[in-house]
Amino acid sequence: MTEKTEERRQHKRSEKTPVKTKMREQKPKDSIKNYKEVPFGYTEAEAVLEAERCLHCRRAFCQEGCPVEINIPGFIDAILRNDFKEGIKIIKETNVLPAICGRVCPQESQCEAACLLGKKEGWDPVGIGRLERFLADWEREHGVTTPEVAKPTGKKVAVVGSGPAGLVVAADMARLGHKVTLFEAFHKAGGVLIYGIPEFRLPKAILAEEVETLEKMGVEIKYNTVIGLTYTLDELFEMGYDTIFLGTGAGLPRYLGIPGESLNGVYFANEFLTRVNLMEAYKFPDGSDTPVNLGKKVVTIGAGNVAMDCARTALRLGAEKSYIVYRRSINEAPARQEEIHHAEAEGVEFHCLSSPLGIMGDENNNVIGLECQECELGEPDESGRCRPVPIDGACFDIECDTLIIAIGQRPNPLVPRNTPGLETHRWGGVIVNEETGETSIPGVYAGGDIVTGAATVILAMGAGRTAAKAMHEYMMNKK
Amino acid sequence: MFEIVKKEWLHDVIFLIEIKAPEIARKIRAGNFLVLRMRDGAERIPITVAEYNREKGTVTCIIQVIGQSTKLLSTLEEGDQIKDVVGPLGKPTHIEKYGTVGIVSGGLGIPLANLVAKELKEAGNEVIGMVGARTENLLVWEEEMSQYCEEMAYCTDDGSKGMKGFTTHLLEEKIAELAKKKKKFDLIFTVGPTIMMKFVTQITKKHNIPTVASLNPIMVDGTGMCGACRVTVDGQIQFACVDGPEFDAHLVDFDELINRLEQYKKHEKVAFDKYDKECGGKHK
């Protein structure tokens, strides 16, 4: 902290602006016609303006609120000094993927939730996520410096899955001088960041650059390789890997168990998004051979980020109506506020307190509608959210010709099923020591959605960081 | 990149490719499948395997040109590269000594049935093959399969080879023939067009013969991720790519599968016509 910071600490709240510096964004009428990112990001001047809102608390609550404990006061201070290069360096000490986190982290329930400025009624917290994004984008425009790597340790690490957890482990391990091979089942790296999160929320070029940086650090990526099938974990050890990290994610759809889920025109969110994002079905037939079967009226069931992504993607693909059907009220929705805001602004219509009863089809087995039960809010359930209670006799139908089920994913079963001795929970998650990420097999670590079930990018990254640290110690102490 | 080391046309619309893929060849077994992606922008398509050679590190697939992707694949020649090949996917066929096993297969199911026949014979089963196609020329790989079968019966829709009729007729006949000898099938394995498997299953249900069907739903990733390949088995959703592709045929909802296979017919035509125009109809 500089003297300037001390001086700024004297600034009173009355000298601050109560609301966040606005981020310019595409108008909804334009954004639904393209796949470009909706918010444009801050300019240098806007970033400094936003950084000036910081109260410079002596105890950094924001940092405590971050799962990877980014030195937030440090980078805000650097922005105030116009030293953006230093700012990004500070972030990268703890977060290797800031351009991604700045865009997809749920800051409102983490760092920004802890920000003292936002605690007062009518006041926004500092736009920490926006500032993180600004620094990462600034670096990309000004040339990314490849992180230095330690001299080779002679140890080999296998990272399974190139999603957020795997990317972090690969980066951390490479930085420590270990030889890293990243195994990916798909033909592109990124996991959920490439197949799940749409271009308009996370441009693929950003991800590609992050992956390129890893390769420059010496990480070898082996595509088209399904661990559990192409190679088992035992075979990886035989090939000379000293430790293995499992970051295979939540890749198995959850379904509702109501009639009609296999009608034509009914998608699981993962299929719909994979077709559009990874396989670029929005270009079909010019530039992509993978089609997506989209009607005019699209219903998405669920209210998480994935559901918002589906509902907004449907609009871009030309749907005239895009509905969200959710059994609780909007206040219980797991999606980020920003995503709900964008969905509403773009014209997605919400049917909350509506519980799906059955999917209706015509004589050709094409979906024609969804039957719903109206609900009211009851007592909170084990998740702490208010439980939807059916209102007697209040049922209604929504007409649709495409229906997307976006109610979450379960852990992918391929590695657990093909690895004797790897202990899992009954619901499929791999059991780990929370402090180290170590599984029931010595030398095998796991983190991210394969351990927790579908959660967030930053939690997966945090788990990756924890595991990387433990893996390093394990390898260096083993003779 | 995966090199095509051999290519051979078996018929006007059916060709064989042998692909160099040592990592897959070392592990693949009967019942497993691959996902191929020919080039950037291409679809991911699931493909069954007819043969493998662990020493050479190759896998052989037999493919019929039915849509744009298979047509694109058919234009690749020996020495050309396939961008992505993933495998071995799915669970391998469950092989044990059952006794007398009938394999009922049609069309492009026969190459897959070939590998299953081989492994069943090696496990000590008496294998009886019942195979068919629309016409003699479309009957492929049946010679290879016959070497693993004690008996082999053929049929074609037009009678150009073997019995005139469908594999279901062959099956009914064989069941009756065995019954006369006081014998029965201990298992029927069926692979081929879904409609054929549906009718085969109706017959084996009637005769109470345990039956395994190798299903061919639409897939995208082939690793359990997307759920496109879901089939209803015993009233439950199952994912063919990770829970299958082989299931107890008596419990499979074939009508639903047939419907789901129709989903992209319209798109397939658009893609095919566009591709055909681009190539000026020059390819085979």
Side-chain angles (χ1 to χ4, degrees), chain A residues 186-187 222 224 229-231 235 251-252 261-262 264-267 270-271 274-275 284-286 289 293 365 412 417, chain B residues 23 26-27 37 41-44 68 84 87-88 221 223-226 228 230 242-243 256 259-260 263-264 267 274:
Chain A
F186 275 148
H187 52 270
K222 266 189 72 65
N224 299 318
L229 298 177
T230 320
Y231 294 104
E235 285 168 334
L252 194 73
E261 282 183 283
S262 290
N264 290 352
V266 178
Y267 281 106
N270 266 4
E271 182 189 354
T274 300
R275 283 181 180 272
F284 179 88
D286 301 305
D289 299 341
N293 203 356
N365 293 289
N412 188 280
R417 269 188 203 170
Chain B
E23 289 179 317
R26 57 186 264 285
K27 281 211 120 163
R37 197 180 72 116
E43 276 185 290
R44 291 170 68 91
Q68 181 259 341
D84 304 292
D221 68 296
T223 63
M225 211 272 302
C226 80
R230 62 190 180 275
V242 291
D243 301 324
E256 179 188 278
N259 275 318
R260 290 185 60 78
Q263 286 194 86
Y264 294 95
H267 299 89
K274 178 175 174 283

Short mmCIF file of all heavy atoms in Angstrom, two decimals, chain A residues 186-187 222 224 229-231 235 251-252 261-262 264-267 270-271 274-275 284-286 289 293 365 412 417, chain B residues 23 26-27 37 41-44 68 84 87-88 221 223-226 228 230 242-243 256 259-260 263-264 267 274:
data_model
loop_
_atom_site.label_atom_id
_atom_site.label_comp_id
_atom_site.label_asym_id
_atom_site.label_seq_id
_atom_site.Cartn_x
_atom_site.Cartn_y
_atom_site.Cartn_z
N PHE A 186 -12.63 -33.95 -25.68
CA PHE A 186 -13.10 -33.24 -26.87
C PHE A 186 -11.94 -32.84 -27.78
O PHE A 186 -10.78 -33.05 -27.45
CB PHE A 186 -13.84 -31.97 -26.46
CG PHE A 186 -15.29 -32.20 -26.14
CD1 PHE A 186 -15.93 -31.43 -25.19
CD2 PHE A 186 -16.02 -33.16 -26.81
CE1 PHE A 186 -17.28 -31.62 -24.90
CE2 PHE A 186 -17.37 -33.36 -26.53
CZ PHE A 186 -17.99 -32.58 -25.57
N HIS A 187 -12.29 -32.19 -28.88
CA HIS A 187 -11.27 -31.73 -29.82
C HIS A 187 -10.82 -30.30 -29.49
O HIS A 187 -9.99 -29.75 -30.19
CB HIS A 187 -11.80 -31.82 -31.25
CG HIS A 187 -13.13 -31.16 -31.44
ND1 HIS A 187 -14.32 -31.83 -31.26
CD2 HIS A 187 -13.46 -29.90 -31.76
CE1 HIS A 187 -15.32 -30.99 -31.48
NE2 HIS A 187 -14.83 -29.81 -31.78
N LYS A 222 -3.34 -33.30 -24.82
CA LYS A 222 -3.71 -34.47 -25.64
C LYS A 222 -5.22 -34.51 -25.80
O LYS A 222 -5.94 -34.80 -24.86
CB LYS A 222 -3.20 -35.76 -25.00
CG LYS A 222 -1.83 -36.16 -25.55
CD LYS A 222 -1.41 -37.54 -25.08
CE LYS A 222 -2.19 -38.67 -25.71
NZ LYS A 222 -2.03 -38.86 -27.13
N ASN A 224 -8.91 -35.66 -27.71
CA ASN A 224 -9.55 -36.93 -28.12
C ASN A 224 -9.16 -38.10 -27.23
O ASN A 224 -9.15 -39.24 -27.67
CB ASN A 224 -9.16 -37.27 -29.58
CG ASN A 224 -9.61 -36.20 -30.56
OD1 ASN A 224 -10.72 -35.71 -30.43
ND2 ASN A 224 -8.77 -35.87 -31.50
N LEU A 229 -11.33 -44.73 -20.43
CA LEU A 229 -11.54 -45.60 -21.59
C LEU A 229 -10.25 -45.74 -22.41
O LEU A 229 -9.69 -46.83 -22.50
CB LEU A 229 -12.67 -45.07 -22.47
CG LEU A 229 -14.05 -45.00 -21.80
CD1 LEU A 229 -15.08 -44.39 -22.73
CD2 LEU A 229 -14.52 -46.39 -21.35
N THR A 230 -9.76 -44.65 -22.98
CA THR A 230 -8.52 -44.75 -23.78
C THR A 230 -7.37 -45.20 -22.87
O THR A 230 -6.59 -46.07 -23.23
CB THR A 230 -8.18 -43.40 -24.44
OG1 THR A 230 -9.38 -42.79 -24.93
CG2 THR A 230 -7.23 -43.60 -25.61
N TYR A 231 -7.26 -44.58 -21.72
CA TYR A 231 -6.29 -45.00 -20.70
C TYR A 231 -6.98 -45.04 -19.34
O TYR A 231 -7.76 -44.15 -19.03
CB TYR A 231 -5.11 -44.02 -20.60
CG TYR A 231 -4.25 -43.98 -21.84
CD1 TYR A 231 -4.34 -42.92 -22.73
CD2 TYR A 231 -3.35 -45.01 -22.12
CE1 TYR A 231 -3.57 -42.88 -23.88
CE2 TYR A 231 -2.58 -44.98 -23.26
CZ TYR A 231 -2.69 -43.92 -24.14
OH TYR A 231 -1.93 -43.90 -25.27
N GLU A 235 -2.93 -47.20 -15.98
CA GLU A 235 -2.08 -47.07 -17.16
C GLU A 235 -1.32 -45.74 -17.16
O GLU A 235 -0.17 -45.67 -17.59
CB GLU A 235 -2.92 -47.22 -18.44
CG GLU A 235 -3.30 -48.67 -18.70
CD GLU A 235 -4.37 -48.84 -19.78
OE1 GLU A 235 -5.17 -47.91 -20.01
OE2 GLU A 235 -4.41 -49.91 -20.38
N GLY A 251 -20.46 -33.90 -16.07
CA GLY A 251 -20.91 -34.17 -17.44
C GLY A 251 -21.85 -35.34 -17.53
O GLY A 251 -21.50 -36.37 -18.09
N LEU A 252 -23.01 -35.22 -16.97
CA LEU A 252 -24.07 -36.21 -17.14
C LEU A 252 -25.36 -35.49 -16.77
O LEU A 252 -25.51 -35.04 -15.65
CB LEU A 252 -23.84 -37.42 -16.21
CG LEU A 252 -24.67 -38.67 -16.52
CD1 LEU A 252 -24.15 -39.37 -17.78
CD2 LEU A 252 -24.63 -39.67 -15.38
N GLU A 261 -39.99 -36.59 -21.53
CA GLU A 261 -38.62 -36.03 -21.61
C GLU A 261 -37.84 -36.50 -22.83
O GLU A 261 -36.80 -35.93 -23.15
CB GLU A 261 -37.84 -36.32 -20.32
CG GLU A 261 -38.25 -35.38 -19.21
CD GLU A 261 -37.44 -35.60 -17.93
OE1 GLU A 261 -37.72 -36.58 -17.21
OE2 GLU A 261 -36.56 -34.78 -17.66
N SER A 262 -38.32 -37.56 -23.48
CA SER A 262 -37.60 -38.02 -24.67
C SER A 262 -38.37 -37.72 -25.95
O SER A 262 -38.05 -38.26 -27.01
CB SER A 262 -37.31 -39.52 -24.55
OG SER A 262 -36.33 -39.72 -23.55
N ASN A 264 -39.36 -35.67 -29.29
CA ASN A 264 -38.52 -34.89 -30.20
C ASN A 264 -38.73 -33.41 -29.94
O ASN A 264 -39.86 -32.96 -29.76
CB ASN A 264 -38.86 -35.24 -31.65
CG ASN A 264 -38.39 -36.64 -32.00
OD1 ASN A 264 -37.70 -37.29 -31.22
ND2 ASN A 264 -38.75 -37.09 -33.19
N GLY A 265 -37.62 -32.68 -29.93
CA GLY A 265 -37.70 -31.26 -29.62
C GLY A 265 -37.40 -30.96 -28.17
O GLY A 265 -37.36 -29.81 -27.76
N VAL A 266 -37.17 -32.01 -27.39
CA VAL A 266 -36.78 -31.82 -25.99
C VAL A 266 -35.27 -32.02 -25.88
O VAL A 266 -34.75 -33.05 -26.30
CB VAL A 266 -37.50 -32.80 -25.04
CG1 VAL A 266 -37.02 -32.60 -23.60
CG2 VAL A 266 -39.01 -32.63 -25.14
N TYR A 267 -34.60 -31.03 -25.37
CA TYR A 267 -33.14 -31.10 -25.20
C TYR A 267 -32.77 -31.06 -23.74
O TYR A 267 -33.43 -30.38 -22.95
CB TYR A 267 -32.48 -29.87 -25.84
CG TYR A 267 -32.33 -29.90 -27.33
CD1 TYR A 267 -33.15 -29.12 -28.14
CD2 TYR A 267 -31.35 -30.67 -27.93
CE1 TYR A 267 -33.00 -29.13 -29.52
CE2 TYR A 267 -31.19 -30.68 -29.30
CZ TYR A 267 -32.01 -29.92 -30.10
OH TYR A 267 -31.85 -29.92 -31.45
N ASN A 270 -27.16 -29.42 -21.79
CA ASN A 270 -25.81 -29.74 -22.27
C ASN A 270 -25.79 -30.03 -23.77
O ASN A 270 -24.86 -29.63 -24.46
CB ASN A 270 -25.27 -30.97 -21.54
CG ASN A 270 -24.45 -30.59 -20.33
OD1 ASN A 270 -24.32 -29.41 -20.00
ND2 ASN A 270 -23.87 -31.58 -19.69
N GLU A 271 -26.80 -30.74 -24.25
CA GLU A 271 -26.81 -31.05 -25.68
C GLU A 271 -27.05 -29.77 -26.49
O GLU A 271 -26.35 -29.48 -27.46
CB GLU A 271 -27.88 -32.08 -26.04
CG GLU A 271 -27.82 -32.41 -27.54
CD GLU A 271 -28.97 -33.26 -28.05
OE1 GLU A 271 -29.80 -33.73 -27.26
OE2 GLU A 271 -29.03 -33.44 -29.28
N THR A 274 -23.96 -27.58 -26.26
CA THR A 274 -22.81 -28.18 -26.95
C THR A 274 -22.98 -28.05 -28.46
O THR A 274 -22.03 -27.71 -29.18
CB THR A 274 -22.66 -29.67 -26.58
OG1 THR A 274 -22.45 -29.76 -25.18
CG2 THR A 274 -21.47 -30.31 -27.29
N ARG A 275 -24.19 -28.30 -28.94
CA ARG A 275 -24.42 -28.14 -30.38
C ARG A 275 -24.12 -26.71 -30.81
O ARG A 275 -23.45 -26.48 -31.80
CB ARG A 275 -25.87 -28.49 -30.73
CG ARG A 275 -26.14 -29.99 -30.78
CD ARG A 275 -27.58 -30.29 -31.15
NE ARG A 275 -27.80 -31.72 -31.19
CZ ARG A 275 -27.60 -32.50 -32.26
NH1 ARG A 275 -27.23 -31.97 -33.40
NH2 ARG A 275 -27.78 -33.80 -32.20
N PHE A 284 -24.90 -23.40 -38.98
CA PHE A 284 -25.40 -24.44 -39.88
C PHE A 284 -26.28 -23.85 -40.98
O PHE A 284 -27.13 -23.02 -40.68
CB PHE A 284 -26.21 -25.47 -39.06
CG PHE A 284 -26.80 -26.57 -39.89
CD1 PHE A 284 -26.07 -27.71 -40.17
CD2 PHE A 284 -28.09 -26.46 -40.41
CE1 PHE A 284 -26.62 -28.73 -40.94
CE2 PHE A 284 -28.63 -27.48 -41.18
CZ PHE A 284 -27.90 -28.61 -41.45
N PRO A 285 -26.18 -24.23 -42.24
CA PRO A 285 -25.23 -25.21 -42.76
C PRO A 285 -23.94 -24.59 -43.30
O PRO A 285 -23.12 -25.29 -43.87
CB PRO A 285 -26.02 -25.85 -43.91
CG PRO A 285 -26.86 -24.72 -44.44
CD PRO A 285 -27.14 -23.81 -43.27
N ASP A 286 -23.77 -23.27 -43.12
CA ASP A 286 -22.58 -22.62 -43.68
C ASP A 286 -21.50 -22.46 -42.63
O ASP A 286 -21.50 -21.50 -41.87
CB ASP A 286 -22.95 -21.24 -44.25
CG ASP A 286 -24.00 -21.36 -45.33
OD1 ASP A 286 -23.77 -22.11 -46.28
OD2 ASP A 286 -25.07 -20.72 -45.18
N ASP A 289 -21.43 -28.29 -39.75
CA ASP A 289 -22.29 -29.38 -40.23
C ASP A 289 -23.24 -29.88 -39.14
O ASP A 289 -24.02 -30.78 -39.37
CB ASP A 289 -21.43 -30.57 -40.70
CG ASP A 289 -20.51 -30.19 -41.85
OD1 ASP A 289 -20.78 -29.17 -42.50
OD2 ASP A 289 -19.53 -30.92 -42.09
N ASN A 293 -32.15 -28.18 -33.63
CA ASN A 293 -33.54 -28.19 -34.04
C ASN A 293 -34.32 -27.22 -33.18
O ASN A 293 -34.75 -27.56 -32.09
CB ASN A 293 -34.05 -29.62 -33.81
CG ASN A 293 -35.25 -29.94 -34.66
OD1 ASN A 293 -35.76 -29.08 -35.37
ND2 ASN A 293 -35.69 -31.18 -34.59
N ASN A 365 -44.89 -37.40 -32.02
CA ASN A 365 -43.95 -37.34 -30.90
C ASN A 365 -43.08 -36.09 -30.90
O ASN A 365 -41.96 -36.11 -30.42
CB ASN A 365 -43.06 -38.59 -30.87
CG ASN A 365 -43.87 -39.82 -30.55
OD1 ASN A 365 -44.32 -39.99 -29.43
ND2 ASN A 365 -44.09 -40.65 -31.56
N ASN A 412 -19.62 -36.80 -14.17
CA ASN A 412 -19.44 -37.76 -15.26
C ASN A 412 -18.96 -39.10 -14.70
O ASN A 412 -18.05 -39.14 -13.88
CB ASN A 412 -18.43 -37.22 -16.28
CG ASN A 412 -18.36 -38.10 -17.51
OD1 ASN A 412 -17.69 -39.14 -17.51
ND2 ASN A 412 -19.06 -37.73 -18.55
N ARG A 417 -16.36 -45.20 -12.79
CA ARG A 417 -16.77 -46.55 -13.15
C ARG A 417 -15.60 -47.43 -13.56
O ARG A 417 -15.66 -48.64 -13.40
CB ARG A 417 -17.72 -46.49 -14.36
CG ARG A 417 -19.15 -46.38 -13.97
CD ARG A 417 -20.00 -46.52 -15.22
NE ARG A 417 -21.30 -45.91 -14.99
CZ ARG A 417 -22.20 -45.70 -15.93
NH1 ARG A 417 -21.93 -46.04 -17.18
NH2 ARG A 417 -23.36 -45.15 -15.64
N GLU B 23 -3.55 -45.89 -30.09
CA GLU B 23 -4.03 -45.81 -28.70
C GLU B 23 -5.40 -46.46 -28.56
O GLU B 23 -5.74 -47.00 -27.51
CB GLU B 23 -4.10 -44.35 -28.25
CG GLU B 23 -2.71 -43.75 -28.05
CD GLU B 23 -2.77 -42.30 -27.64
OE1 GLU B 23 -3.59 -41.56 -28.21
OE2 GLU B 23 -2.00 -41.91 -26.75
N ARG B 26 -5.18 -50.57 -29.33
CA ARG B 26 -4.63 -51.41 -28.27
C ARG B 26 -5.69 -51.86 -27.28
O ARG B 26 -5.50 -52.80 -26.54
CB ARG B 26 -3.48 -50.71 -27.53
CG ARG B 26 -3.84 -49.38 -26.93
CD ARG B 26 -2.65 -48.68 -26.35
NE ARG B 26 -2.53 -48.93 -24.92
CZ ARG B 26 -3.30 -48.37 -24.00
NH1 ARG B 26 -4.25 -47.53 -24.34
NH2 ARG B 26 -3.13 -48.64 -22.72
N LYS B 27 -6.81 -51.18 -27.25
CA LYS B 27 -7.81 -51.47 -26.21
C LYS B 27 -9.18 -51.87 -26.71
O LYS B 27 -9.98 -52.42 -25.98
CB LYS B 27 -8.01 -50.19 -25.38
CG LYS B 27 -6.95 -49.96 -24.38
CD LYS B 27 -7.55 -49.26 -23.22
CE LYS B 27 -7.46 -49.96 -21.93
NZ LYS B 27 -7.71 -48.98 -20.86
N ARG B 37 -14.49 -37.00 -36.30
CA ARG B 37 -14.78 -35.65 -36.80
C ARG B 37 -13.78 -35.41 -37.92
O ARG B 37 -12.58 -35.40 -37.69
CB ARG B 37 -14.64 -34.61 -35.69
CG ARG B 37 -15.32 -33.28 -36.00
CD ARG B 37 -15.14 -32.29 -34.86
NE ARG B 37 -13.76 -31.84 -34.81
CZ ARG B 37 -13.37 -30.57 -35.02
NH1 ARG B 37 -14.27 -29.62 -35.23
NH2 ARG B 37 -12.11 -30.24 -34.98
N GLY B 41 -15.28 -27.81 -38.32
CA GLY B 41 -16.62 -27.51 -38.80
C GLY B 41 -17.47 -28.75 -39.05
O GLY B 41 -18.67 -28.65 -39.27
N ALA B 42 -16.83 -29.92 -39.04
CA ALA B 42 -17.57 -31.16 -39.30
C ALA B 42 -18.29 -31.62 -38.04
O ALA B 42 -17.96 -31.22 -36.93
CB ALA B 42 -16.64 -32.25 -39.81
N GLU B 43 -19.28 -32.50 -38.26
CA GLU B 43 -20.01 -33.10 -37.14
C GLU B 43 -19.14 -34.11 -36.43
O GLU B 43 -18.21 -34.65 -37.00
CB GLU B 43 -21.20 -33.90 -37.68
CG GLU B 43 -22.44 -33.13 -37.97
CD GLU B 43 -23.55 -34.09 -38.37
OE1 GLU B 43 -23.48 -34.67 -39.47
OE2 GLU B 43 -24.48 -34.26 -37.58
N ARG B 44 -19.53 -34.44 -35.21
CA ARG B 44 -18.96 -35.61 -34.53
C ARG B 44 -19.92 -36.75 -34.84
O ARG B 44 -21.10 -36.65 -34.55
CB ARG B 44 -18.91 -35.38 -33.02
CG ARG B 44 -17.92 -34.32 -32.58
CD ARG B 44 -18.12 -33.98 -31.11
NE ARG B 44 -17.76 -35.09 -30.24
CZ ARG B 44 -16.54 -35.26 -29.73
NH1 ARG B 44 -15.59 -34.40 -29.98
NH2 ARG B 44 -16.28 -36.29 -28.94
N GLN B 68 -24.54 -36.16 -45.34
CA GLN B 68 -23.43 -35.29 -45.71
C GLN B 68 -22.12 -35.73 -45.07
O GLN B 68 -21.07 -35.74 -45.73
CB GLN B 68 -23.79 -33.85 -45.32
CG GLN B 68 -22.75 -32.82 -45.65
CD GLN B 68 -21.95 -32.46 -44.42
OE1 GLN B 68 -22.37 -32.70 -43.30
NE2 GLN B 68 -20.78 -31.88 -44.62
N ASP B 84 -10.17 -35.85 -36.02
CA ASP B 84 -10.34 -36.37 -34.66
C ASP B 84 -10.94 -37.77 -34.66
O ASP B 84 -11.91 -38.01 -35.37
CB ASP B 84 -11.28 -35.46 -33.86
CG ASP B 84 -10.80 -34.02 -33.81
OD1 ASP B 84 -9.76 -33.78 -33.17
OD2 ASP B 84 -11.45 -33.16 -34.41
N GLY B 87 -11.94 -42.80 -28.86
CA GLY B 87 -12.43 -44.12 -28.49
C GLY B 87 -11.46 -44.84 -27.58
O GLY B 87 -10.45 -44.27 -27.18
N PRO B 88 -11.71 -46.07 -27.26
CA PRO B 88 -12.94 -46.82 -27.55
C PRO B 88 -14.06 -46.39 -26.61
O PRO B 88 -13.88 -46.38 -25.40
CB PRO B 88 -12.53 -48.27 -27.27
CG PRO B 88 -11.37 -48.21 -26.34
CD PRO B 88 -10.72 -46.87 -26.51
N ASP B 221 -21.38 -35.97 -28.12
CA ASP B 221 -20.03 -36.13 -27.56
C ASP B 221 -19.63 -37.60 -27.39
O ASP B 221 -18.48 -37.94 -27.54
CB ASP B 221 -19.90 -35.38 -26.23
CG ASP B 221 -20.74 -36.00 -25.15
OD1 ASP B 221 -21.98 -36.01 -25.30
OD2 ASP B 221 -20.18 -36.51 -24.17
N THR B 223 -19.58 -39.27 -24.63
CA THR B 223 -18.94 -39.54 -23.33
C THR B 223 -19.89 -39.29 -22.15
O THR B 223 -19.44 -39.12 -21.02
CB THR B 223 -17.68 -38.67 -23.14
OG1 THR B 223 -18.07 -37.28 -23.13
CG2 THR B 223 -16.67 -38.88 -24.25
N GLY B 224 -21.18 -39.26 -22.40
CA GLY B 224 -22.14 -39.11 -21.31
C GLY B 224 -22.56 -37.68 -21.04
O GLY B 224 -23.44 -37.41 -20.23
N MET B 225 -21.93 -36.75 -21.74
CA MET B 225 -22.08 -35.36 -21.40
C MET B 225 -23.42 -34.77 -21.84
O MET B 225 -24.05 -34.05 -21.09
CB MET B 225 -20.92 -34.60 -22.04
CG MET B 225 -20.46 -33.41 -21.30
SD MET B 225 -21.37 -32.01 -21.75
CE MET B 225 -21.07 -31.96 -23.50
N CYS B 226 -23.87 -35.06 -23.06
CA CYS B 226 -24.97 -34.27 -23.61
C CYS B 226 -26.35 -34.90 -23.46
O CYS B 226 -27.34 -34.19 -23.42
CB CYS B 226 -24.69 -33.92 -25.06
SG CYS B 226 -25.06 -35.23 -26.24
N ALA B 228 -27.95 -36.66 -25.68
CA ALA B 228 -28.66 -36.80 -26.96
C ALA B 228 -29.04 -38.26 -27.21
O ALA B 228 -30.07 -38.54 -27.81
CB ALA B 228 -27.79 -36.31 -28.11
N ARG B 230 -30.09 -40.56 -25.29
CA ARG B 230 -30.89 -41.23 -24.27
C ARG B 230 -31.91 -42.20 -24.89
O ARG B 230 -32.51 -41.91 -25.92
CB ARG B 230 -31.58 -40.23 -23.36
CG ARG B 230 -32.58 -39.30 -24.02
CD ARG B 230 -32.97 -38.22 -22.99
NE ARG B 230 -33.92 -37.24 -23.48
CZ ARG B 230 -33.58 -36.15 -24.16
NH1 ARG B 230 -32.31 -35.95 -24.50
NH2 ARG B 230 -34.49 -35.28 -24.53
N VAL B 242 -22.65 -44.20 -22.56
CA VAL B 242 -21.91 -44.67 -21.38
C VAL B 242 -22.56 -45.86 -20.69
O VAL B 242 -21.88 -46.67 -20.07
CB VAL B 242 -21.65 -43.53 -20.34
CG1 VAL B 242 -20.66 -42.53 -20.89
CG2 VAL B 242 -22.93 -42.86 -19.91
N ASP B 243 -23.89 -45.97 -20.78
CA ASP B 243 -24.58 -47.11 -20.16
C ASP B 243 -24.72 -48.25 -21.15
O ASP B 243 -25.04 -49.37 -20.78
CB ASP B 243 -25.97 -46.69 -19.67
CG ASP B 243 -25.92 -45.56 -18.66
OD1 ASP B 243 -24.97 -45.55 -17.84
OD2 ASP B 243 -26.80 -44.68 -18.68
N GLU B 256 -39.74 -45.29 -29.38
CA GLU B 256 -39.19 -43.99 -29.01
C GLU B 256 -37.86 -43.76 -29.72
O GLU B 256 -37.60 -42.68 -30.26
CB GLU B 256 -38.99 -43.93 -27.49
CG GLU B 256 -38.40 -42.62 -27.01
CD GLU B 256 -38.04 -42.70 -25.54
OE1 GLU B 256 -38.94 -42.53 -24.70
OE2 GLU B 256 -36.85 -42.94 -25.23
N ASN B 259 -38.39 -42.86 -33.32
CA ASN B 259 -38.80 -41.45 -33.41
C ASN B 259 -37.63 -40.50 -33.26
O ASN B 259 -37.49 -39.53 -33.98
CB ASN B 259 -39.79 -41.12 -32.29
CG ASN B 259 -41.19 -41.46 -32.67
OD1 ASN B 259 -41.60 -41.20 -33.79
ND2 ASN B 259 -41.91 -42.06 -31.76
N ARG B 260 -36.81 -40.79 -32.27
CA ARG B 260 -35.69 -39.88 -31.99
C ARG B 260 -34.68 -39.86 -33.13
O ARG B 260 -34.01 -38.85 -33.35
CB ARG B 260 -35.01 -40.24 -30.65
CG ARG B 260 -35.90 -39.91 -29.45
CD ARG B 260 -35.20 -40.14 -28.12
NE ARG B 260 -34.00 -39.33 -27.96
CZ ARG B 260 -33.99 -38.03 -27.65
NH1 ARG B 260 -35.14 -37.41 -27.44
NH2 ARG B 260 -32.86 -37.38 -27.52
N GLN B 263 -35.17 -37.08 -35.86
CA GLN B 263 -35.16 -35.67 -35.47
C GLN B 263 -34.50 -34.71 -36.43
O GLN B 263 -34.90 -33.57 -36.54
CB GLN B 263 -34.50 -35.51 -34.10
CG GLN B 263 -35.36 -35.98 -32.98
CD GLN B 263 -34.84 -35.51 -31.65
OE1 GLN B 263 -35.15 -34.43 -31.20
NE2 GLN B 263 -34.02 -36.33 -31.02
N TYR B 264 -33.46 -35.16 -37.09
CA TYR B 264 -32.70 -34.20 -37.91
C TYR B 264 -32.81 -34.49 -39.40
O TYR B 264 -32.00 -34.01 -40.18
CB TYR B 264 -31.23 -34.17 -37.46
CG TYR B 264 -31.10 -33.63 -36.07
CD1 TYR B 264 -31.05 -34.47 -34.97
CD2 TYR B 264 -31.09 -32.25 -35.83
CE1 TYR B 264 -30.98 -33.98 -33.68
CE2 TYR B 264 -31.02 -31.73 -34.56
CZ TYR B 264 -30.96 -32.61 -33.48
OH TYR B 264 -30.89 -32.11 -32.21
N HIS B 267 -32.71 -31.39 -41.49
CA HIS B 267 -31.38 -30.76 -41.50
C HIS B 267 -30.40 -31.58 -42.32
O HIS B 267 -29.53 -31.04 -42.99
CB HIS B 267 -30.86 -30.62 -40.07
CG HIS B 267 -31.73 -29.77 -39.20
ND1 HIS B 267 -32.76 -30.28 -38.48
CD2 HIS B 267 -31.70 -28.44 -38.95
CE1 HIS B 267 -33.35 -29.30 -37.81
NE2 HIS B 267 -32.72 -28.17 -38.07
N LYS B 274 -26.51 -29.19 -49.90
CA LYS B 274 -25.52 -28.12 -49.99
C LYS B 274 -24.15 -28.70 -50.34
O LYS B 274 -23.45 -28.20 -51.22
CB LYS B 274 -25.46 -27.38 -48.66
CG LYS B 274 -24.43 -26.29 -48.63
CD LYS B 274 -24.48 -25.51 -47.35
CE LYS B 274 -23.33 -24.52 -47.30
NZ LYS B 274 -22.06 -25.17 -46.96
#
